[in-house]
Amino acid sequence: MSFGLLFDSTRCIGCGACAAACKEQNALPDGIENRTTAYTWTTVEKRNGHHVRRMCMHCVTPTCASVCPVGALHRLETGPVVYDSGKCIGCRYCVMACPFGVPKYQWDRPVPVVGKCGMCASRLAAGQATACASVCPTGATMFGERDALVAE
């Protein structure tokens, strides 16, 4: 079974609970930036009076993973596109290949890695929903089986 996330901008109130939960779940530094970075993996932008969530799309056929020469990025059967920093050689092909500009390189670290949402793969393995969907007060971020979300 493959899981996914669905965002409904008509329900989003821009509270940022999803971004805060992501930071906490992934032990990322405090401070939610107004765009995705190596340390802010999801954010809510305001565009033309609407709230738009930015995060990894966890593509069925992820371009970021297809260009990685060492398999540091790969898609799990359960849906998340995950990153293994132990395999990464720092080529940044994934950064250039992603059509959504999701993987971000940590330029400020002596041994940099790529930062991106992993769709809370450890939570999924434990039978839990993603942190961002769990805290959304309006149900704007929905977690579930991918086919059901596509049907929705």
Side-chain angles (χ1 to χ4, degrees):
M1 179 182 321
S2 183
F3 294 101
L5 292 166
L6 178 64
F7 175 72
D8 183 348
S9 65
T10 65
R11 293 181 177 183
C12 183
I13 58 173
C15 68
C18 53
C22 178
K23 289 266 191 177
E24 183 178 332
Q25 174 68 35
N26 295 291
L28 297 170
D30 289 338
I32 299 166
E33 296 157 287
N34 59 1
R35 59 184 174 79
T36 57
T37 69
Y39 303 107
T40 296
W41 297 350
T42 187
T43 189
V44 178
E45 298 175 0
K46 191 160 189 168
R47 292 195 174 182
N48 299 325
H50 299 280
H51 300 289
V52 179
R53 180 135 181 245
R54 297 289 178 212
M55 60 178 282
C56 181
M57 300 296 172
H58 298 282
C59 303
V60 173
T61 307
T63 307
C64 61
S66 72
V67 300
C68 183
V70 294
L73 281 160
H74 62 280
R75 185 176 188 273
L76 301 177
E77 287 183 23
T78 53
V81 176
V82 295
Y83 170 73
D84 182 348
S85 62
K87 291 182 179 179
C88 185
I89 59 172
C91 68
R92 298 179 302 280
Y93 289 166
C94 59
V95 173
M96 300 306 294
C98 177
F100 304 107
V102 170
K104 305 290 189 201
Y105 200 63
Q106 296 175 338
W107 293 100
D108 60 331
R109 293 181 51 181
V111 180
V113 295
V114 170
K116 70 167 286 306
C117 169
M119 200 195 302
C120 296
S122 60
R123 289 178 61 99
L124 268 64
Q128 299 174 315
T130 60
C132 60
S134 297
V135 299
C136 184
T138 62
T141 298
M142 295 168 267
F143 169 81
E145 200 260 297
R146 186 181 182 283
D147 290 340
L149 293 174
V150 169
E152 174 72 20

